[in-house]
Amino acid sequence: MKLKVCGMNLNTLEVATLYPDYLGFIFWKPSKRFNEGNIPQLPPSIKKVGVFVDATIEEVLEKIETFGLDAVQLHGKESPEFCSSLKRFINDRTKALGAANLKIIKVFSIKDDFDFGVLTPYEEVCDYYLFDTKGKLPGGNGYTFSWEVLKNYHSTKPYFLSGGIGLDEIEKIKEFKKRPESKYCHAIDVNSKFELEPGLKDIDKLKEFKEVLGIG
């Protein structure tokens, strides 16, 4: 199981010394963690994820090319058709940049229950799913959804588990890893529970989380 730290902005290089598998950079202006381009050179083992909310294909492609993103995370109401078009444009325009293997992560927000049938049209047009907590904002709401819902996950596509995960969830994650529904959990995604302020991560907490769970 891998580790993604999202909402990076103010101390990215410091977080990079922990070598998480993914770092997420939010390109949605209303976010308190909006990144205006403050992305330093990172170790090649760390994948850069650009987070977008209902952006245009051109906006996404511009950020891919400018920052050498390894993945794009679509956190809005992007349709299967949008994902398919984006995938095609990525293949057409980024081969020369060495980013032809760039991954698409489609986010779905969950509250008390969820109809996993809505995933079917996305099966062929994205590489990962990300399950987050349904709240007022697209991400960073600070509380978890019931992971019991994932017992109904019928796909074999790997997914990221997100939504208000912090140190208090360590035992819960340990138990989750023993259950069948965790089989396709590719990574744990953390954000607001590991912050001193929006965009400024608490290195000690992240280090403890990573070491205790043995992830990332």
Side-chain angles (χ1 to χ4, degrees):
M1 199 173 282
K2 299 182 183 298
L3 175 64
K4 174 174 174 279
V5 183
C6 202
M8 298 307 307
N9 205 348
L10 301 177
N11 60 340
T12 303
L13 283 178
E14 193 176 8
V15 175
T17 63
L18 300 179
Y19 289 93
D21 301 283
Y22 299 89
L23 289 179
F25 302 89
I26 297 174
F27 296 117
W28 184 59
K29 286 188 177 180
S31 173
K32 293 183 290 185
R33 302 166 184 88
F34 173 65
N35 192 296
E36 297 188 44
N38 179 30
I39 302 179
Q41 186 72 30
L42 297 173
S45 65
I46 301 176
K47 299 187 187 307
K48 291 176 283 186
V49 181
V51 180
F52 302 89
V53 181
D54 297 319
T56 66
I57 285 178
E58 284 304 316
E59 288 171 335
V60 175
L61 291 174
E62 187 271 327
K63 292 294 190 293
I64 290 171
E65 296 179 7
T66 300
F67 301 112
L69 300 179
D70 300 291
V72 295
Q73 179 175 316
L74 304 177
H75 222 301
K77 298 178 181 178
E78 298 87 2
S79 67
E81 293 75 21
F82 178 91
C83 296
S84 179
S85 296
L86 177 60
K87 199 173 190 70
R88 186 169 63 253
F89 275 103
I90 286 172
N91 288 337
D92 289 345
R93 289 183 53 180
T94 61
K95 285 179 182 177
L97 300 173
N101 292 322
L102 186 143
K103 305 299 184 183
I104 295 176
I105 304 166
K106 182 66 185 87
V107 178
F108 295 90
S109 298
I110 297 175
K111 193 175 182 181
D112 299 320
D113 55 19
F114 186 72
D115 176 12
F116 286 98
V118 304
L119 305 180
T120 302
Y122 292 90
E123 283 287 305
E124 301 300 322
V125 296
C126 67
D127 301 285
Y128 299 97
Y129 298 130
L130 185 149
F131 299 121
D132 197 3
T133 305
K134 189 176 183 66
K136 292 181 180 180
L137 297 172
N141 289 289
Y143 48 92
T144 62
F145 65 91
S146 173
W147 299 347
E148 292 292 313
V149 174
L150 294 169
K151 289 181 178 179
N152 299 318
Y153 184 65
H154 61 273
S155 175
T156 59
K157 190 176 293 295
Y159 64 86
F160 290 70
L161 180 60
S162 187
I165 296 173
L167 291 178
D168 290 344
E169 279 66 49
I170 283 179
E171 292 305 316
K172 186 178 175 183
I173 293 171
K174 287 180 179 179
E175 289 302 312
F176 176 72
K177 288 170 70 175
K178 298 175 184 177
R179 301 208 301 265
E181 55 266 34
S182 72
K183 179 178 180 180
Y184 296 106
C185 183
H186 173 70
I188 300 294
D189 182 306
V190 301
N191 188 350
S192 59
K193 288 290 188 71
F194 291 91
E195 289 186 322
L196 299 168
E197 63 181 79
L200 181 66
K201 305 305 180 188
D202 188 319
I203 300 300
D204 291 336
K205 284 186 177 180
L206 280 171
K207 185 175 182 181
E208 179 182 352
F209 185 79
K210 188 174 185 290
E211 290 179 350
V212 172
L213 285 175
I215 63 174

